[in-house]
Amino acid sequence: MPATIAKAPALQPAGFEPLTVDDWFNLPDSPERYELSEGMLIMAPSPDGQHQDIAGAVYISFMLVGRPEGGWSMIAPTRSRPGP
């Protein structure tokens, strides 16, 4: 998955210390999608059509199977932490 390093000096200045998950969660909300990889802040590219088709199919499958069992799913990316 190609990605470009975010060139945001306020977020990641030259000679930066690696960011932590807590640092990422404390970033201000932004329309851009940033990901954290090995301490580096990366601006993720927009998903293409094939990605959107697959994501939609997975979402519908989760809804059909999970909801009757009390589960839930979300289609949009969210800031979430996996449980223990």
Side-chain angles (χ1 to χ4, degrees):
M1 164 171 45
T4 56
I5 302 301
K7 300 202 186 277
L11 298 177
Q12 195 169 350
F16 76 98
E17 291 187 26
L19 297 175
T20 66
V21 171
D22 287 332
D23 293 331
W24 182 81
F25 271 100
N26 289 320
L27 290 174
D29 285 335
S30 168
E32 289 84 20
R33 249 187 44 211
Y34 290 102
E35 297 177 0
L36 187 63
S37 176
E38 297 185 20
M40 299 213 34
L41 190 62
I42 297 180
M43 182 183 290
S46 297
D48 62 15
Q50 181 181 15
H51 175 275
Q52 296 296 80
D53 286 344
I54 293 169
V58 169
Y59 174 75
I60 290 169
S61 297
F62 284 171
M63 291 284 293
L64 293 173
V65 174
R67 283 278 165 102
E69 299 296 322
W72 57 274
S73 60
M74 299 173 82
I75 193 70
T78 61
R79 288 188 183 195
S80 58
R81 294 180 190 241

